[in-house]
Amino acid sequence: MNNSIKVLFATAELNPIAKVGGLADVAGALPPILHELGVDIRVVMPKYGIIDENKYPCKKIHSDIDVTIDNNTEKIDIYETKIPDTEVIVYLIDNHKYLGQNGVYFDKTAFVDSIGEVHRFLFFSKAILPIFSSLNWYPDVLHCQDWHVGILPALLNLEETKQPELEKIKTLFTVHNLANQGSWEKSEILDFLGLSDDNIPSLAVNPKDINLIQQGIMNADLINTVSRTYAKEILTPEYGEGLEGDLAKRKDVLFGIVNGIDQKRFNPSTDPDIAANFSLQNIDQKMVNKKDIQKICGLKVDEKIPLLGIITRLTNQKGIELVADSAETIVKAGGQLILLGTGADNYEKMMTELQAKYPENVHAHIAFDAVLAQKIYAGSDVFLMPSRFEPCGLGQLIAMRYGTLPIVRATGGLKDTVPDYNPDDHTGTGFVFDEYTSASFVKSVKRALDVYKNDPDNWNKLVKSALEYDSSWDTAAKEYLELYKKLIK
Ligand code: GLC
């Protein structure tokens, strides 16, 4: 790999070592494919206390590197592991005070709610630049994910004046979710970093706060987000989360690359967590999974009953209200609904109330449970994803991979990845609706249930098309490689 492009992929999460949401799936799956394409890509992440070192053995490779923070000198150690079953090196930065305690994020919604979390990721960002000289490895591209490392391009620009070896490093900033911005009071951030407004011009854009995702957007050499449609949507006030102006200024360097999924991990023909493996050749085995999940959830076991599933973080993004409003329609049609997720209290309550109202037809499981999730993907007929906005979305891709037809709103990555059912030629792999209203969503639920009940042949045709859908990382990885090449040209 002597002449290959060197990339350091900086992330707060990585599946399976420390997983919260979709970011972890991307971090665990994209670097290995880029590595196969010949990129010398390595990952850097915090060494959280929750990492299970029996499962993921980590070796200490450097100790006592100084990081100046909050008017003090903190020490970090660097550990090394690999993304399981791959050759991709992961560097874990260890510092008990800032990185070692608690889980990945401090709140179960994964949205910032305390200065402790802001400190954690500012510290992580600051700790990345001093590691290169210890490693004797300088990346060509620093690929930064989300607000957690949004300050990194700016810190790099500043540090280049002191460490000339850093001058050649270019930055790519990937926005996985513009809604989660990492914003905090300016004076607290500046004091912690030991900086003032004058050090970095972009820090002066807001009078009161520093918005870390905005910093990434303003300072990175190139920016991308995780679908083509979302890359356009975020230029509008409806989806721009207040940053549409900053994004518009950088429109020429803003790209959209649609995520894939790890097709080895999400594979109905080998998945160890589901009751019966299946593929195009033995689709009938999908029914074994359906009956299994019906039984687990205490619902009537009957393969003819349409079974709708939803697996999600319970946040304002995900359209939980629409799902609640559709329950009556589903119940009236004799269908069943299984919900799995955790998050905001009001939505957890909404889900529990649905189950209380329709105990025969609705099962709400308030938890994060990766094994149960696989069983729901495999056993459901329909997967619901009526998001208000969706940068890419992984649930719809996993669902299709398991022959479960998604009902999605035409936004972001949902729009880019789910071809709508066309009743004329019976093509498509799911059902798509436009407006974010209960009426519009319920209409699409009825449309799906109608095909399910009255046109089983064409339903099966859709299931086959979903199973055949290519959601691999191959295309996306090539597009990332093109961006890396553009950066170092
Ligand atoms: C965030 C987005 C989701 C995307 C994921 C990975 O979780 O909300 O749409 O799929 O990041 O990029």
Side-chain angles (χ1 to χ4, degrees):
M1 288 216 160
N2 285 339
N3 298 317
S4 48
I5 302 178
K6 296 197 279 294
V7 178
L8 187 67
F9 189 97
T11 180
E13 303 176 30
L14 183 139
N15 186 68
I17 299 174
K19 146 106 182 166
V20 181
L23 171 57
D25 293 281
V26 175
L30 174 62
I33 307 277
L34 282 160
H35 192 268
E36 279 168 27
L37 291 178
V39 180
D40 179 7
I41 185 164
R42 307 181 188 189
V43 178
V44 64
M45 67 184 286
K47 188 165 183 293
Y48 302 112
I50 50 143
I51 294 174
D52 182 347
E53 288 189 56
N54 292 320
K55 271 194 184 159
Y56 313 111
C58 305
K59 191 173 101 203
K60 192 192 278 193
I61 54 166
H62 292 284
S63 18
D64 290 336
I65 301 169
D66 287 343
V67 177
T68 317
I69 204 82
D70 207 11
N71 274 313
N72 271 308
T73 305
E74 279 288 323
K75 300 275 182 206
I76 57 163
D77 297 334
I78 311 174
Y79 284 72
E80 187 182 305
T81 186
K82 283 193 174 150
I83 299 182
D85 305 320
T86 78
E87 286 308 308
V88 177
I89 294 173
V90 180
Y91 298 122
L92 299 124
I93 295 189
D94 188 32
N95 172 277
H96 183 70
K97 181 174 176 190
Y98 290 112
L99 306 175
Q101 305 171 69
N102 306 319
V104 176
Y105 307 126
F106 289 33
D107 187 70
K108 59 186 176 169
T109 58
F111 277 60
V112 187
D113 84 331
S114 71
I115 183 70
E117 184 166 344
V118 177
H119 283 167
R120 161 168 289 187
F121 290 110
L122 289 174
F123 180 79
F124 173 53
S125 302
K126 191 127 196 229
I128 291 173
L129 299 178
I131 72 174
F132 305 139
S133 63
S134 305
L135 296 173
N136 194 19
W137 182 85
Y138 289 83
D140 303 306
V141 177
L142 196 47
H143 184 173
C144 310
Q145 321 300 314
D146 270 351
W147 75 265
H148 320 104
V149 281
I151 198 69
L152 197 46
L155 293 179
L156 177 68
N157 292 341
L158 201 64
E159 194 63 24
E160 277 169 8
T161 49
K162 293 179 224 152
Q163 278 197 64
E165 303 91 320
L166 302 181
E167 253 168 48
K168 279 201 194 127
I169 303 178
K170 300 289 180 205
T171 49
L172 170 63
F173 185 63
T174 300
V175 174
H176 294 265
N177 192 343
L178 196 60
N180 194 356
Q181 302 191 336
S183 219
W184 207 265
E185 207 186 304
K186 188 179 214 166
S187 59
E188 289 196 58
I189 291 191
L190 291 179
D191 289 350
F192 188 70
L193 290 173
L195 292 176
S196 79
D197 265 9
D198 313 333
N199 296 112
I200 301 171
S202 64
L203 294 176
V205 287
N206 303 328
K208 275 172 58 199
D209 291 332
I210 290 180
N211 177 327
L212 293 167
I213 211 165
Q214 182 185 31
Q215 293 299 311
I217 290 167
M218 293 182 76
N219 294 308
D221 295 308
L222 296 181
I223 314 159
N224 83 289
T225 180
V226 288
S227 67
R228 290 181 297 275
T229 296
Y230 193 60
K232 287 186 214 131
E233 286 175 336
I234 56 178
L235 296 170
T236 67
E238 193 187 347
Y239 294 93
E241 305 284 347
L243 300 179
E244 56 277 8
D246 299 290
L247 286 157
K249 284 187 201 136
R250 308 224 58 207
K251 215 170 84 195
D252 296 341
V253 293
L254 169 64
F255 299 85
I257 300 181
V258 181
N259 286 338
I261 54 173
D262 181 342
Q263 294 202 316
K264 279 193 215 124
R265 177 167 155 237
F266 299 111
N267 184 348
S269 62
T270 54
D271 192 330
D273 293 329
I274 63 177
N277 291 120
F278 62 98
S279 66
L280 263 184
Q281 282 69 44
N282 59 344
I283 304 187
D284 53 315
Q285 292 297 300
K286 185 168 164 66
M287 285 306 135
V288 178
N289 293 298
K290 181 167 177 178
K291 290 191 269 189
D292 179 54
I293 190 69
Q294 286 173 322
K295 189 160 166 233
I296 291 172
C297 295
L299 299 171
K300 187 172 174 203
V301 178
D302 180 347
E303 55 179 70
K304 290 202 196 66
I305 295 178
L307 176 61
L308 295 80
I310 170 165
I311 301 166
T312 182
R313 261 182 308 116
L314 297 170
T315 64
N316 168 53
Q317 170 185 347
K318 299 292 179 175
I320 310 300
E321 299 87 349
L322 303 196
V323 174
D325 288 346
S326 72
E328 200 188 324
T329 305
I330 295 168
V331 171
K332 269 195 186 147
Q336 297 170 334
L337 177 63
I338 298 177
L339 311 105
L340 173 66
T342 56
D345 294 337
N346 60 323
Y347 291 124
E348 291 189 352
K349 192 161 156 258
M350 202 180 271
M351 293 192 11
T352 334
E353 282 170 1
L354 269 190
Q355 166 164 329
K357 193 167 173 195
Y358 306 110
E360 308 263 295
N361 301 68
V362 177
H363 178 79
H365 197 90
I366 312 291
F368 172 79
D369 185 332
V371 173
L372 191 65
Q374 288 317 106
K375 294 181 189 297
I376 298 173
Y377 282 122
S380 303
D381 300 299
V382 172
F383 187 77
L384 304 179
M385 215 158 158
S387 306
R388 196 186 293 275
F389 64 92
E390 195 62 70
C392 179
L394 300 173
Q396 83 281 15
L397 297 174
I398 303 170
M400 291 190 285
R401 179 94 172 122
Y402 286 77
T404 300
L405 306 185
I407 301 183
V408 303
R409 190 170 159 251
T411 181
L414 300 175
K415 184 173 176 181
D416 293 348
T417 57
V418 181
D420 189 21
Y421 172 57
N422 179 344
D424 297 330
D425 59 4
H426 309 292
T427 54
T429 60
F431 300 86
V432 184
F433 68 99
D434 279 311
E435 263 172 67
Y436 188 82
T437 61
S438 294
S440 179
F441 176 56
V442 166
K443 217 165 129 191
S444 66
V445 171
K446 285 187 176 154
R447 197 153 68 91
L449 290 174
D450 179 50
V451 183
Y452 180 86
K453 286 191 160 168
N454 303 319
D455 194 358
D457 287 347
N458 280 316
W459 183 269
N460 291 335
K461 199 171 165 204
L462 293 181
V463 171
K464 279 191 192 137
S465 306
L467 281 170
E468 281 173 331
Y469 185 87
D470 179 11
S471 52
S472 71
W473 270 104
D474 297 348
T475 311
K478 283 181 195 133
E479 289 172 14
Y480 275 103
L481 183 55
E482 285 313 306
L483 288 191
Y484 296 158
K485 284 185 182 156
K486 203 190 267 285
L487 277 166
I488 60 176
K489 202 161 65 193

